[in-house]
Amino acid sequence: MNFDFSDDQKQLRDEARRFLAEKCPPKAVRAVIDGKAPYDRDLWKGLADMGFLGVAIPEAFGGSGAGHLELCVIAEEMGRALAPVPFSSTVYLAAEALLLAGSDAQKQKWLPAIAQGHAIGTLALFEGTGNPSPKAIKLTASNGVLNGTKKPVADGAIADFAIVAARTGSTGRDSDIALFLVDLTSEGVEAKALTSIDPSRNQAEITFTNVKAELLGAANEGWSILSQVLDRAAVLIGFEQVGGSDRALEMGRDYALDRIAFGRQIGSFQAIKHMLADMYVSATLARSNCYYGAWALSTNAAELPEAAASARISATQAFQHCSKNNIQVHGGMGFTWEFDCHLYYRRSNALAVGLGSLSHWEDQLIERMRQKNAA
Amino acid sequence: MNFDDTPQEAEFRAVARQWIAANAPKELEAELTKPNAKRANEKRDAMLDVSKAWQKKKADAGWACLHWPKDYGGRGATPIERVIWQQEEGVYDKLSRPFAIGQGMCGPTVMAYATEEQKRQYLPPLASGEKVWCQLFSEPAGGSDVAGLRTRAEKDGDDWIINGQKIWTSGAHYSDYGILITRTDPNVPKHKGLTMFFLDMKSDGVEVKPIKQANGMQEFNEVFFTNVRIPDSQRLGAVGDGWNVSLTTLMNERMSIGARVHTGFPELFDYCSNLMLEDGLAIDDSNVRSKLAGWAVKNSGLTYTSYRSISALSKGERPGPENSIGKLVSGMMMQDIAMFAADLQGASGALVGGDAEAGGEFQATILSSPSMRIAGGTDEILRNIIAERVLGLPGDIRVDKDVPFNKVPTKGR
Ligand SMILES: Cc1cc2nc3c(=O)[nH]c(=O)nc-3n(C[C@H](O)[C@H](O)[C@H](O)COP(=O)(O)OP(=O)(O)OC[C@H]3O[C@@H](n4cnc5c(N)ncnc54)[C@H](O)[C@@H]3O)c2cc1C
Ligand SMILES: Cc1cc2nc3c(=O)[nH]c(=O)nc-3n(C[C@H](O)[C@H](O)[C@H](O)COP(=O)(O)OP(=O)(O)OC[C@H]3O[C@@H](n4cnc5c(N)ncnc54)[C@H](O)[C@@H]3O)c2cc1C
């Protein structure tokens, strides 16, 4: 058994960490939060130059073809650094959907552009309150023409193209849902930026009025493709959450060592020690679940749906737990705009619902475990 | 990243599996699969005989204490081979429970500090289960604070004379030997005046009194020492170095990773999959699902954490204090899960044994699980270990650190 990343992959992680420490300090995150730019363009270009955007894209489509384990270690670092770029929407959602279901022409058009940092992509799935479900998709597609509204769409206001989930029938079956690839510069597309709990990442509402779009994958398989994309993204975002959890835990630990109250380091009070120990436990369990997810993702294992749901739940819990208690350890300072604690807290709360809520994934996990047991 | 055995590991696994298939007491499998399987309880009980028979059979074929040198009754196996054996042994590992403390904690201490002759004499029968050992550390005055112990050892010629009391000693009532930590110098601060010995539990002046536990069973004991003589040759480590010796014992707990993680989750999942409530199967209820999912990811998280430790082990790295999370998480889970299962049963959840639903397994766990959060390091001590050894936070302020032991206060109020 070797349930660990390889030395090369660990080296890649170190490289990504060094790169992000230099190019993505908290100051860079704050520039986006303060509204100076919708995302960090220099960082995006840097990520392309480093080859990080195309790490899981095959060489034939302009990537380095290294693989998904490599993408996992980069994802962890992106989460740790709170990178204010459309990485997850472009790389985990749009590129994964293209890789799974795109035609050769579609892949040729978009994947090299993604790898080079020239195209930002996203997934337009949600339509207001609710979780991923075929029933919740009302936006219609008839004869390749889309009408309806998606909200929220991560990075929707800065994306060049979107994979759009649309309704093509009303039989009540999953096959009513098809995926479409839409160039967001098309006529009839209107994107409006929305305000988010985590302003370091963009959210938008996109209205489609008689927009011509091309199918992505078979018309009756949209939901099945989408489910696979969400599972894959759940693992990758899980790594971002693990990176964020670790950083929040470290910040809390460091502050507990520096801060003196009642004549002692606050890290010498057991209330604080035990809080940090519990954060370590959550972060460790999440990391282990995500490693299993990484294995399933990289080998396309039959276990992926269950592994992805476990990674998603565990990592969501860990990041929220670590980021909120990091604020707690910081006392009043943790509740200031100036300290970075709230940046992690914000990100953890945005990621927690970005692929559908915790209860949705809990339900999915148990359903999947049950089906496995029944089989 | 993979779960595959290396060719050598695969070969080893195949041999182990074959031997277990041919030799394990299969008639006990169903009983052993129960979370609260019958266990050796009394000095003369059938379960202890069964355990000893299985242990002896394993030892004769070279499957006992695998990682110990052959000369001491082991197999000279690598750490990873030991893990593979544990995986293959499955539920039969429960039969080894009476030997767990002796083989897991006492044996390694003897191995580190006894003479060559003693090791050859005492270790093989410990490995084969013919002799059972217990760990005489905790006292009324010190469990977590084991260095606060008060049992005295005084030198008398070539012997030491022991007076005092131990408590919570698991299996003392069926043990042949024990390792014993004592105070040899009360005039120095508490960690400095300790000395470790091993002794024959049948020595004159040793009295074992079983303690009835909160769950009604009797697995641990009080052990009284009245002028018990131990030859100096049975001292483990230097006089006054008992604290360091005891750390060797306690560190060895961490090496026992790889055994299956018991959290109670698979049993609960099974139960909920079949339990009919007013509105249908329990597992279809969204509240039940949410609870199950929360425990599912802890259960899998612990399993995969142990896989990560095994991988480190197979690369020759030593497992560190981060392994403390296993007992911390699983102890709490056991208790919470059992309470949740009883809650699903409504008023019937208050019944136990044959009168209860599901064979009373969950109620038995409700009653036994508090001990899991205490024995072998309480939840709080484990959190301290994680905070101090893993995260590098300051140690607790120790008011008794530099005070001679006989000047330390003994009453809270
Ligand atoms: C919204 C807000 C409004 C406020 N308004 C006022 C106000 O109007 N007037 C005013 O005077 N103050 C005010 N405060 C300050 C507030 O009282 C302090 O923030 C609070 O007492 C904590 O002190 P601290 O921030 O220095 O944190 P610290 O004391 O440094 O605490 C940091 C962490 O260590 C823990 N800790 C500290 N000591 C111990 C201990 N002995 N045992 C265990 N854990 C310990 C704390 O619980 C915390 O988790 C306000 C704070 C906030 C956030
Ligand atoms: C089933 C069972 C089997 C056992 N078998 C053995 C055995 O074979 N041999 C043996 O030697 N011992 C054995 N023990 C004893 C066990 O190791 C002790 O019970 C345990 O270490 C706790 O010590 P204590 O009972 O004295 O509780 P205390 O140490 O008095 O603890 C009481 C409470 O205070 C808390 N506490 C204590 N110190 C601290 C601290 N520094 N910081 C925060 N909280 C603290 C504890 O967490 C606990 O909640 C067994 C115990 C049980 C329950």
Side-chain angles (χ1 to χ4, degrees), chain B residues 39-302:
Chain B
R39 40 167 117 184
N41 197 1
E42 304 297 326
K43 185 170 191 151
R44 281 270 140 256
D45 86 15
M47 218 47 202
L48 185 59
D49 294 342
V50 172
S51 286
K52 286 194 164 195
W54 172 235
Q55 192 64 26
K56 181 77 171 73
K57 199 168 187 180
K58 288 195 291 184
D60 288 346
W63 296 110
C65 296
L66 276 79
H67 55 302
W68 289 8
K70 285 193 179 135
D71 285 348
Y72 307 149
R75 189 189 185 88
T78 62
I80 198 76
E81 285 173 340
R82 181 185 177 207
V83 168
I84 292 172
W85 166 263
Q86 285 170 331
Q87 290 170 341
E88 293 301 322
E89 192 179 16
V91 296
Y92 299 108
D93 73 345
K94 289 191 188 171
L95 288 172
S96 310
R97 255 192 305 225
F99 320 113
I101 289 176
Q103 296 175 348
M105 322 253 294
C106 307
T109 313
V110 168
M111 214 175 299
Y113 292 99
T115 64
E116 186 58 33
E117 198 189 327
Q118 287 168 331
K119 290 191 249 185
R120 286 172 190 270
Q121 179 183 347
Y122 291 102
L123 292 175
L126 167 54
S128 67
E130 286 160 282
K131 298 292 179 196
V132 180
W133 287 56
C134 62
Q135 182 197 357
L136 298 149
F137 282 22
S138 300
E139 294 191 11
S144 304
D145 181 18
V146 70
L149 61 91
R150 317 191 78 85
T151 294
R152 296 282 302 271
E154 285 154 318
K155 193 82 193 286
D156 181 43
D158 281 345
D159 289 345
W160 292 83
I161 313 245
I162 316 293
N163 279 291
Q165 181 199 346
K166 295 288 170 179
I167 195 169
W168 322 127
T169 319
S170 300
H173 55 308
Y174 52 68
S175 289
D176 303 286
Y177 297 96
I179 57 171
L180 171 71
I181 184 159
T182 63
R183 184 164 306 280
T184 40
D185 187 354
N187 300 307
V188 293
K190 65 177 185 181
H191 289 94
K192 302 208 168 105
L194 305 178
T195 304
M196 186 80 80
F197 299 95
F198 70 89
L199 87 161
D200 188 332
M201 290 295 282
K202 286 181 287 297
S203 309
D204 281 344
V206 175
E207 191 189 356
V208 178
K209 284 194 183 160
I211 303 174
K212 187 165 181 180
Q213 297 164 186
N215 65 345
M217 294 179 77
Q218 290 188 9
E219 292 164 307
F220 56 27
N221 306 270
E222 289 178 288
V223 182
F224 295 90
F225 298 86
T226 315
N227 294 323
V228 176
R229 280 189 175 268
I230 301 182
D232 187 55
S233 60
Q234 290 181 198
R235 175 164 45 80
L236 295 170
V239 174
D241 203 30
W243 179 247
N244 284 324
V245 179
S246 78
L247 289 181
T248 314
T249 316
L250 299 171
M251 297 285 267
N252 267 287
E253 268 193 310
R254 281 190 214 139
M255 292 298 285
S256 59
I257 55 161
R260 289 168 311 136
V261 188
H262 297 286
T263 60
F265 174 73
E267 292 83 5
L268 180 69
F269 187 82
D270 239 34
Y271 186 59
C272 292
S273 302
N274 298 303
L275 178 67
M276 262 304 178
L277 302 175
E278 300 90 280
D279 300 325
L281 281 174
I283 198 169
D284 288 332
D285 179 272
S286 64
N287 172 44
V288 172
R289 281 194 173 206
S290 170
K291 294 270 194 184
L292 282 176
W295 284 314
V297 303
K298 285 188 176 166
N299 185 66
S300 58
L302 285 182

Side-chain angles (χ1 to χ4, degrees), chain A residues 38-361:
Chain A
Y39 70 102
D40 189 332
R41 288 196 174 80
D42 290 342
L43 177 60
W44 192 243
K45 184 170 181 315
L47 290 166
D49 295 343
M50 292 296 286
F52 293 166
L53 297 179
V55 77
I57 295 175
E59 279 173 290
F61 300 111
S64 73
H68 283 88
L69 291 177
E70 285 71 11
L71 184 53
C72 287
V73 300
I74 291 170
E76 183 180 335
E77 296 311 314
M78 298 294 283
R80 195 184 162 81
L82 298 177
V85 287
F87 193 74
S88 54
S89 2
T90 305
V91 179
Y92 316 154
L93 292 165
E96 288 298 319
L98 281 162
L99 284 167
L100 274 174
S103 67
D104 213 50
Q106 288 168 333
K107 290 188 207 168
Q108 282 299 358
K109 175 164 182 202
W110 292 108
L111 291 175
I114 288 176
Q116 287 156 23
H118 297 328
I120 293 171
T122 187
L123 174 72
L125 166 62
F126 298 106
E127 302 183 18
T129 315
N131 282 306
S133 149
K135 280 196 222 99
I137 295 170
K138 306 271 192 290
L139 181 144
T140 59
S142 62
N143 302 320
V145 177
L146 308 186
N147 276 291
T149 300
K150 293 289 184 183
K151 172 192 172 183
V153 182
D155 302 306
I158 54 175
D160 301 294
F161 72 99
I163 314 290
V164 183
R167 173 167 297 281
T168 56
S170 49
T171 66
R173 283 194 285 266
D174 290 358
S175 56
D176 289 343
I177 306 303
L179 295 182
F180 289 86
L181 204 163
V182 182
D183 185 330
L184 292 176
T185 57
S186 308
E187 203 169 324
V189 175
E190 204 182 324
K192 184 179 97 186
L194 304 174
T195 46
S196 161
I197 194 166
D198 174 19
S200 71
R201 296 295 312 283
N202 228 265
Q203 298 279 0
E205 175 181 290
I206 307 185
T207 305
F208 299 82
T209 314
N210 295 324
V211 175
K212 285 190 67 84
E214 50 184 282
L215 261 178
L216 182 87
N220 57 354
E221 283 174 12
W223 188 255
S224 138
I225 300 163
L226 193 64
S227 303
Q228 294 173 62
V229 171
L230 291 177
D231 284 349
R232 300 171 82 77
V235 174
L236 294 161
I237 290 179
F239 273 92
E240 289 202 0
Q241 291 166 312
V242 163
S245 304
D246 266 16
R247 183 64 197 131
L249 170 58
E250 262 170 40
M251 288 164 73
R253 192 261 327 263
D254 291 349
Y255 191 77
L257 288 172
D258 291 340
R259 170 75 172 167
I260 303 282
F262 300 96
R264 296 158 59 172
Q265 288 168 298
I266 58 167
S268 70
F269 296 119
Q270 281 195 356
I272 297 291
K273 285 166 81 168
H274 290 189
M275 189 154 69
L276 288 163
D278 286 338
M279 289 156 72
Y280 172 81
V281 170
S282 312
T284 303
L285 295 177
R287 177 176 291 279
S288 299
N289 276 309
C290 284
Y291 276 31
Y292 188 66
W295 166 79
L297 173 64
S298 67
T299 56
N300 249 320
E303 287 87 345
L304 178 61
E306 189 184 328
S310 298
R312 169 88 190 145
I313 295 166
S314 195
T316 295
Q317 291 172 335
F319 195 13
Q320 286 185 313
H321 180 196
C322 290
S323 68
K324 76 179 178 192
N325 282 348
N326 179 36
I327 294 184
Q328 187 63 19
V329 170
H330 279 73
M333 285 303 177
F335 194 59
T336 61
W337 188 261
E338 184 187 341
F339 272 59
D340 292 335
C341 307
H342 71 105
L343 306 187
Y344 285 84
Y345 186 60
R346 286 168 180 279
R347 178 63 68 84
S348 77
N349 281 290
L351 291 184
V353 291
L355 291 178
S357 59
L358 186 62
S359 59
H360 166 75
W361 285 93

Side-chain angles (χ1 to χ4, degrees), chain A residues 1-4 253 264-265 267 270 273-274 278 280 287-289 292 295 362-363 367 370 373, chain B residues 1-4 269 284 289-290 297 300 304-305 308 311 315 322 383-384 388 391 394 396-397:
Chain A
M1 176 179 316
N2 184 10
F3 190 51
D4 194 4
R253 192 261 327 263
R264 296 158 59 172
Q265 288 168 298
Q270 281 195 356
K273 285 166 81 168
H274 290 189
D278 286 338
Y280 172 81
R287 177 176 291 279
S288 299
N289 276 309
Y292 188 66
W295 166 79
E362 287 176 340
D363 186 64
E367 189 54 37
R370 197 179 160 187
N373 275 20
Chain B
M1 193 173 277
N2 69 68
F3 296 100
D4 308 335
F269 187 82
D284 288 332
R289 281 194 173 206
S290 170
V297 303
S300 58
Y304 304 138
T305 299
R308 288 171 54 206
S311 303
K315 284 180 209 155
E322 63 276 7
R383 288 196 181 91
N384 281 349
E388 292 169 23
L391 300 177
D396 280 354
I397 291 178

